[in-house]
Every structure is written in structure tokens, then in C-alpha cells.
Amino acid sequence: MVNSTLKLRGMSCASCVQNIEAAISSVPGVRECIVNFGAETATITYDPEKTDIVTIEKAVDAAGYSAFLLQPENTLMEEDAAETYRQSRETYHLTRKVVISSILSGIIVIGSIPMMTGLHIPVIPMWLHDPWLQLVLTIPIQFWCGLSFYGNAGKAWKRHTATMDTLVVLGTSVAFFYSLFPTFFPNFFISRGLSPDVYYEAAAVIITLILLGRLLESRAKKQTGKAIRQLIGLQPKTARLIRDGQEIDIPISEVQIGDIILVRPGEKIPVDGEVIAGTSTVDESMVTGESIPVEKQSGDEVIGATINQTGSFKLRTTRVGKDTVLAQIVQLVQQAQGSKAPIQRLTDQVTGFFVPVVIAIAVLTFIIWLSVAGNVTLAIVTTVGVLIIACPCALGLATPTSVIVGTGKGAENGILIKDAQSLELAHKIQTIVLDKTGTITAGKPTVTDFVTVKGTANGNEIKLLQLAASVEQNSEHPLATAIVAYAKTNLERLHVTLSQVVDFRAIPGSGVQGMVDAHLVQIGTQRWLAELGINTQLLAGEKDRLESEGKTAIFLAVDGQVEGLMGIADAVKPTSKSAIQALQKLGLEVIMLTGDNHRTATSIARQVGINRVISQVRPDQKAATIQELQREGKKGKIVAMVGDGINDAPALTQADVGIAIGTGTDIAIASSDITLISGDLHGVVTAIQLSHATIRNIRQNLFFAFIYNVAGIPIAAGVLYPIFGWLLNPIIAGAAMAFSSVCVVTNALRLRNFQPKLLI
């Protein structure tokens, strides 16, 4: 299966979503299609053996819309520039139509004031009352400014569907074509005691207001994608390449993997790479959300688009183009913005039958008023009002605009949200499970204690360190790495070197052994040494002390005798305790899940304020443990899992919301719903707060959207006519409909002011 995202053109309302999804889903080989009205995208999963993207694009074209796939070879900046140019052209043409229609409709309205008020107003010239003049002024508005409405309505008619454009065309055409009769045959009305009133102003002003609403909506929607454009704008345009000893400035698109790049103080790092010479500090806040600069030296990785601060360095390029961290972040945010939240499915179902129902209500309104009041004018006015006020644009924009702004805001804070469903579900989390190593702790074990039986006399401690490190340098275990690092730090200043090892053996879960300088050296757990018949009681008290402090105790034996004990600890991250307290203040149950022994796990949990610990869980048992937690309680629990390792991937997938620490492994990130780029647990708090803010914003939008229609349709139909007859003017209905969308998008933009709350 292949996943692709198409950029769509020609959508005018939420009903178009249903039409495009139906057209694409009808293509053989398409498994899933999700159309996002706010982002104007279609995310498609299809079988490449049964169909291709060209066939899918043709299906969209046949449905009356257009679609295209962004070329993968384009850079982020090229894509953004092309999209910006297209939006600018559309805005220009739309603005021109709004200006022209506003001038013409303004003249028409002034000339219609005497007819609308029934008063003779001397300051308004009589010739402005002339219906022929109003007809001439209305024609360019109706059939040039409103041409797109007719075109889209015609396409919908061919597909046997109806959209917002259908409602606009029906409403304005009724007003326009009805007005032709009193214009051409005024005596017919006068002879029957009727006033030959015309409603050109209704048709003209309604089209003008809807176009104005679309213009304001378009400009507001551009702001919803500001986060993406800011990310894309971070990418430098050039890189300083070192080739044959010469420095050459080349376009970023020409940089290749393996190139050597020079970065000077204050410059943006052009691409992802590895530092090969020099040292510096780098501001990574624009990518990770962390404000504290990070020190970089030879061997460290650097991220493209971050800012070099203090020193110059050379890097070897490791990722370019769409493989860079920045490009992947942009792609993930775009993927999330194009997805559909579960709460949106209700609105999709409503809009699917909304337009036909509105047309039925409009017809019924016309029949009732014509039958009850016998007033053709009143019947037409109410019918036009119902058709115009009921357009479901705001309903279609309510959810996706908030999702676009919310996911973009997450990216600004170093939080990558994979899809809208994860963003919505995060606010429902009841229990959050934290892996210990690499999540609560730094994930880098270090030796904190070294106790020997014979003390430091005659260089005993140095000799034991040299023996231990010589053996452990052959192991890839994290604890072995910690022992070797500790030994080298202490031995190098004394110019002591490590020895060769003979007959090295690693016993999984127990320890290692080998012959060093004719001595049998064995390093491992107390249980393993006891199985070998080695007495460990001399250091049993020290072992208990270390484990009570949350440290791992490693015994060292030489020639069958215990000689020393090392305490190894994975230090708690400085921010873990405050982040866990904040999660608890949000009302969440926080649980630690780890494979460590219960004593060590409990000690770490006590340091950070966690009350419930599930320890000694094997990697293959973690997913089952999450499943058990999900079944707790009468109705079960919404459980989130936070982890960073390969062994966390099944649990991240099993959890309702999987949250990966971005400093962890790629497979953990791929298995998660949310990724914290910086690795700081405060990102979990921010993600949950952002979810609450986004869902609250969506609910506000849905309220605004529904209230316009629920309250507006009865008013337009004339329910309040005996009291507020002036409300029946179709112009008011047009204004309400046009600005309902603007109201929704503007409210969604308030999310850009979101700031995480400190809960400590």
C-alpha cells in the first residue's frame, strides 16, 4: 500500500468533502481517502498494483475539482513558494471582484432605498430607481463576479449532488430572475394592484457579501498555516562547501551526503550532519523547543536550520533534502493537519445531507407563505433567505482549522502530533505510564560508587579498575560502557593502559569474564557469582545500601575471590520530577513501568514522586501490561505510554496514545502517536494541555457554526416576521452566512496564543 497526499482545488464548502471522498473511493484499488476542507488536501491509501496517482487525479477532475501531487524532488522552499504564488493570484482575482461588485451593488442599494423603505427621498436621483439601470448593474455581478458559483453548481448538478454553490445560485437566481418580470412587464403587476418591486439589490449584495466572506476567510486561513511556513522558512538557502581546500557557497539543493560543510558563528546550519572538527554551542530551540543552547564537539550530530552560536566547526553531511529532520518534521505536521479528527466525522455526516434538506425547507417555506399569506414577494424573500443563510461553510471549517493551528502550535513547542485523532484523544487520558530508562532518567548509566575489599593500599583500587575495564571493553552492554568510561577517566591521568583479554565470555543477564594478565576476572550480579561458588557476603551490606539508593550493584571477583563492588546509576533528568508533579495536578494517574528490580525502581519512583511502580517487566510483557491497565475500572481507562527504546515500541502501539521521546530510537518514534523532540517530559504536559485547548476551540467553533444555521434558518423562513419583519431581508441572511465562516476561522486563530501553563 502507498500513502499519498494530493493538493485540492475548487472546494467551496463542506459538501465538497463528501463529493471528493466519494469520487476517489470509487477508484478500484483505493483503500482509504480522507479529505480535509481546511487544509485543502486529500490523504489517500491505495494499492499501486491496481491504480496510480494519475488515475486518482482524473477521478477528482471528473468530479468537478482539480488535484495534483507535489513533486518529491521539489525542496520545501520551492513548494512553499509555489503555493504562496498561487494563493496570491487567487487573492488578487478575488479582491478585484469584491471591489467591483461592492461599487456596483452600493449604487444598486442606494437606488433601492425608496423601494425598500416605501419613502420618497429627494437626495436620491429618480434615475437610480430605474429597474433597467439596476438590471444593467446587476448583470456583471451575477454572471461575472458570481461565475464560479454557477460553474461549481453546474458540476454538482452533473454529479447529482448539491453544494453551497447550489444554494447561492438558487437563492440569487430566484431574486434576479423574478426581478426580470416586473422590469419587463411592470403593467402586468400594476393592473393587478401589485407593486412592480425588483430584488436586484438582494442578488447583488448577497454575491458581494459571500465573496467578501471568502476573501476574509482565505486571508485568515493563511494564518492557520503560519507554523508550517515558519518551519519551512528556517531552511537556509545556501551552504559553504569545502572542496579541494577551497570554500564555495552553493545552493542548498546541491548539497550531497558526505560533503564537508563549514559553519561559522551566527550562521544557520544548512543540513543535518556530524561534527568532524571544531566545537561550538548550537541553539536548537526552533526545532526542539528547548531554549538552552547545546554544546557540540567532534562526533556530535547537528540538525539543519538550527543556529550556530559561539564557534566555527566543520560537519560531514548525513541527510539532505526531504530526509533531514526539518523536512520530516514539516511532513509529519502536514500529515497531521491533513488528517481528520473523530469529532469531525459527525459534521461530515451532517453536511452530507444538509444541502438537500435546506433546499426542501426552502421549497416548503415558499409554499407555506404563498398559501397562508398569498404574498408572492414574501414567499420569494423568505425562500431566498433560507437558501442563503444555511450554507454549511462554517460547519466544514470548524474542526480542520483548529487542528491545523493546534498541530502547528505543537511543532513550535517541539511536539510532533502524528494525526488529528491523537490530538483529540490526548485530552481524555486518565493514566500515563512512563518507562524509566531514557524517559524519567537520562538513559546514560554512570559509575557512582566503587568499593574495594582491600581499600586503596598499594594501588589496589587502580589495579582492580584496570582489570575490570580490560574485560568490559569487550562488551557492548550499557553498564559495561559506564564501567569503561569511569575507569579510563581515572586511569588516563595515571597513564595506565588496558590489557588484552583472553577467553572473553559474556553470560546474558549475569555478567562477563575473561583472563587478564593471568588473572581470571569475573564481573556481574551477586546471584551469578554465588552460582559460581564465590562468597559475596563481605560486600553484601554495601550492595543493600547501593540498591536502596536506586543504584545497580555490580560485583568484581579476581581468581575466585570478591575484590570490589561498583554502584551504577542512571541519573534522573533534572526536569522529570516537576513534569510528573504537573501531570498529577492535571488529575492523571502516573505509573512507572520498568524491567529493573523492584528496589531500584521504587527508589527512582520515590525521587520523582511516583506512587505506583510496575517493575521486573520483560520487554515482551510491556504491551500486555498496558492492555491490563486499559481494562482497569468499570469502563476501562484511556492509557498513554511514554518511552524511548526499541523494547517500548509494542507498548507504544498498544497504548491509546503512544508518546515517544525524540532522543530515542527511530522505531519508537515510528510506533508513537506523539513525539517529543527534546526528550523533556514537560512536553507531555504541554501536549495534553494543547489537546484540551484545541478540543475546547473546536467545540466553540461547532457552536458558532450550528447556531448560525439552527437559529438562522427559522428566522430566514419568517418565524419572527410578525415581530421583526426587517429580519427577512435576504441581504442580512447573506451577511450572516458570509461572516459565520470568518468567525470560525478567527476563533481558531486564537489557538496561536496558546502557552503551556506551569503546574508546579
Side-chain angles (χ1 to χ4, degrees):
M1 289 293 169
V2 175
N3 292 315
S4 295
T5 300
L6 291 176
K7 192 68 178 177
L8 301 173
R9 299 282 181 265
M11 289 198 299
S12 59
C13 72
S15 300
C16 297
V17 172
Q18 302 287 328
N19 297 335
I20 297 176
E21 285 185 348
I24 294 177
S25 298
S26 65
V27 177
V30 173
R31 173 175 290 185
E32 184 182 28
C33 173
I34 298 175
V35 173
N36 187 301
F37 180 45
E40 295 183 318
T41 58
T43 305
I44 307 155
T45 303
Y46 65 93
D47 185 348
E49 295 182 359
K50 295 181 179 180
T51 189
D52 54 38
I53 204 68
V54 174
T55 303
I56 295 171
E57 289 176 352
K58 288 180 179 178
V60 176
D61 291 339
Y65 306 91
S66 61
F68 66 92
L69 183 69
L70 296 176
Q71 296 303 316
E73 63 269 17
N74 287 355
T75 67
L76 294 174
M77 298 183 74
E78 286 172 341
E79 291 178 2
D80 186 56
E83 181 65 13
T84 301
Y85 175 76
R86 184 199 64 81
Q87 290 179 346
S88 298
R89 293 294 298 171
E90 286 187 357
T91 302
Y92 168 75
H93 290 300
L94 191 54
T95 302
R96 186 173 62 166
K97 288 186 176 183
V98 168
V99 171
I100 292 173
S101 62
S102 297
I103 295 171
L104 296 179
S105 59
I107 297 172
I108 296 170
V109 168
I110 293 173
S112 302
I113 289 176
M115 186 267 302
M116 289 188 291
T117 61
L119 302 174
H120 175 67
I121 304 176
V123 295
I124 299 178
M126 290 296 297
W127 54 269
L128 280 180
H129 303 186
D130 192 334
W132 286 97
L133 173 63
Q134 295 193 7
L135 170 60
V136 171
L137 295 176
T138 304
I139 287 175
I141 299 175
Q142 187 78 28
F143 300 107
W144 177 66
C145 297
L147 181 62
S148 61
F149 298 125
Y150 280 92
N152 293 333
K155 293 173 183 177
W157 175 263
K158 291 179 181 178
R159 299 188 307 270
H160 307 292
T161 58
T163 65
M164 166 202 162
D165 297 295
T166 307
L167 299 181
V168 173
V169 166
L170 284 175
T172 59
S173 295
V174 166
F176 178 82
F177 288 106
Y178 168 79
S179 300
L180 292 178
F181 287 97
T183 302
F184 283 93
F185 309 107
N187 293 330
F188 175 84
F189 290 84
I190 295 172
S191 63
R192 287 166 175 75
L194 301 173
S195 175
D197 295 332
V198 293
Y199 293 95
Y200 294 121
E201 85 287 345
V205 174
I206 286 170
I207 289 176
T208 300
L209 288 172
I210 293 173
L211 289 176
L212 176 61
R214 283 192 175 179
L215 179 61
L216 296 175
E217 176 191 316
S218 174
R219 289 181 174 176
K221 282 170 68 176
K222 286 181 185 178
Q223 298 300 312
T224 64
K226 186 177 181 181
I228 284 286
R229 288 193 297 276
Q230 286 178 334
L231 285 171
I232 293 173
L234 293 175
Q235 188 179 48
K237 295 180 180 180
T238 61
R240 185 170 291 107
L241 178 69
I242 298 179
R243 182 178 294 164
D244 299 326
Q246 300 294 319
E247 296 179 12
I248 308 170
D249 286 340
I250 62 173
I252 196 73
S253 58
E254 295 180 12
V255 177
Q256 299 179 356
I257 294 176
D259 284 346
I260 306 301
I261 304 295
L262 174 65
V263 184
R264 293 172 176 168
E267 293 181 340
K268 285 185 179 180
I269 299 172
V271 291
D272 296 0
E274 179 183 342
V275 178
I276 58 172
T279 60
S280 184
T281 56
V282 176
D283 178 4
E284 297 182 340
S285 59
M286 63 285 298
V287 175
T288 65
E290 292 294 321
S291 58
I292 301 175
V294 181
E295 294 185 2
K296 300 291 181 180
Q297 57 187 356
S298 184
D300 290 340
E301 291 187 357
V302 289
I303 303 172
T306 55
I307 300 175
N308 180 34
Q309 291 194 323
T310 56
S312 297
F313 61 86
K314 295 178 182 178
L315 66 87
R316 180 182 290 108
T317 303
T318 56
R319 287 184 294 265
V320 298
K322 296 205 170 185
D323 294 325
T324 62
V325 170
L326 177 64
Q328 291 174 353
I329 290 173
V330 170
Q331 183 180 10
L332 195 58
V333 175
Q334 287 175 331
Q335 174 185 323
Q337 293 182 345
S339 62
K340 189 174 293 187
I343 196 172
Q344 189 177 340
R345 302 191 188 280
L346 172 62
T347 61
D348 285 348
Q349 292 172 358
V350 171
T351 54
F353 60 82
F354 193 82
V355 173
V357 169
V358 168
I359 293 174
I361 293 174
V363 172
L364 186 62
T365 300
F366 180 84
I367 294 172
I368 290 175
W369 280 113
L370 190 62
S371 302
V372 173
N375 189 330
V376 177
T377 298
L378 182 59
I380 289 175
V381 168
T382 52
T383 300
V384 172
V386 170
L387 289 170
I388 297 303
I389 202 169
C391 294
C393 288
L395 205 56
L397 289 168
T399 300
T401 47
S402 296
V403 169
I404 289 171
V405 179
T407 51
K409 197 66 184 178
E412 289 179 14
N413 286 274
I415 302 166
L416 302 184
I417 301 166
K418 186 171 290 185
D419 53 39
Q421 182 173 350
S422 305
L423 178 63
E424 179 180 338
L425 193 57
H427 87 287
K428 298 180 181 179
I429 294 172
Q430 299 165 286
T431 298
I432 190 157
V433 180
L434 305 177
D435 174 54
K436 179 179 77 69
T437 305
T439 302
I440 296 175
T441 64
K444 295 181 179 179
T446 56
V447 175
T448 57
D449 299 81
F450 182 34
V451 181
T452 64
V453 174
K454 297 177 183 178
T456 59
N458 301 318
N460 175 67
E461 185 179 39
I462 299 302
K463 181 60 178 177
L464 287 176
L465 269 180
Q466 191 261 353
L467 292 173
S470 296
V471 175
E472 292 287 17
Q473 69 178 336
N474 294 277
S475 173
E476 296 179 353
H477 195 281
L479 297 184
T481 303
I483 292 172
V484 172
Y486 175 77
K488 285 184 174 180
T489 300
N490 288 276
L491 296 177
E492 284 178 356
R493 57 187 173 86
L494 300 174
H495 306 289
V496 177
T497 58
L498 303 184
S499 302
Q500 293 294 320
V501 178
V502 181
D503 297 330
F504 173 81
R505 287 180 58 205
I507 296 86
S510 299
V512 295
Q513 69 177 36
M515 295 296 297
V516 183
D517 299 335
H519 294 289
L520 174 62
V521 180
Q522 294 164 312
I523 309 168
T525 64
Q526 183 183 39
R527 175 183 54 79
W528 180 53
L529 294 186
E531 290 175 356
L532 296 174
I534 299 173
N535 186 359
T536 60
Q537 291 306 307
L538 285 173
L539 296 173
E542 288 294 329
K543 168 188 171 290
D544 291 341
R545 177 185 67 82
L546 292 174
E547 289 187 347
S548 68
E549 295 173 356
K551 301 172 182 177
T552 299
I554 301 295
F555 284 84
L556 169 62
V558 180
D559 297 329
Q561 299 292 323
V562 167
E563 296 290 349
L565 178 68
M566 289 185 176
I568 301 177
D570 184 7
V572 172
K573 292 178 182 178
T575 58
S576 291
K577 184 175 182 179
S578 59
I580 289 166
Q581 289 176 341
L583 289 170
Q584 291 167 338
K585 288 184 178 180
L586 287 174
L588 301 176
E589 177 190 22
V590 182
I591 299 174
M592 178 194 288
L593 178 65
T594 179
D596 276 358
N597 67 73
H598 189 69
R599 174 181 263 182
T600 301
T602 302
S603 174
I604 296 294
R606 192 182 305 117
Q607 292 179 45
V608 295
I610 294 178
N611 298 319
R612 185 176 177 183
V613 178
I614 304 176
S615 59
Q616 295 176 299
V617 179
R618 296 197 312 269
D620 59 326
Q621 296 175 328
K622 285 189 174 183
T625 303
I626 296 295
Q627 201 168 23
E628 290 174 9
L629 292 172
Q630 289 171 323
R631 289 196 292 261
E632 287 185 354
K634 293 182 179 179
K635 297 182 180 180
K637 290 181 177 178
I638 304 296
V639 178
M641 169 72 189
V642 185
D644 76 318
I646 292 175
N647 57 4
D648 296 322
L652 290 169
T653 304
Q654 174 62 44
D656 297 289
V657 180
I659 304 175
I661 300 296
T663 50
T665 63
D666 289 342
I667 191 170
I669 295 172
S671 304
S672 68
D673 302 302
I674 297 173
T675 299
L676 310 179
I677 301 177
S678 68
D680 187 343
L681 278 179
H682 278 101
V684 180
V685 182
T686 302
I688 293 173
Q689 291 179 340
L690 180 60
S691 175
H692 279 283
T694 303
I695 296 304
R696 183 166 56 249
N697 192 270
I698 288 174
R699 288 171 176 163
Q700 291 168 351
N701 284 349
L702 289 174
F703 171 79
F704 289 138
F706 276 112
I707 202 68
Y708 272 108
N709 288 306
V710 172
I713 291 176
I715 293 173
V719 171
L720 300 179
Y721 174 67
I723 307 173
F724 302 106
W726 59 272
L727 286 175
L728 293 185
N729 194 322
I731 294 175
I732 295 175
M737 190 284 296
F739 289 101
S740 63
S741 298
V742 178
C743 178
V744 164
V745 177
T746 303
N747 185 61
L749 288 175
R750 292 193 308 109
L751 268 177
R752 288 169 52 190
N753 300 321
F754 167 82
Q755 293 293 335
K757 297 178 181 178
L758 295 177
L759 300 174
I760 56 175

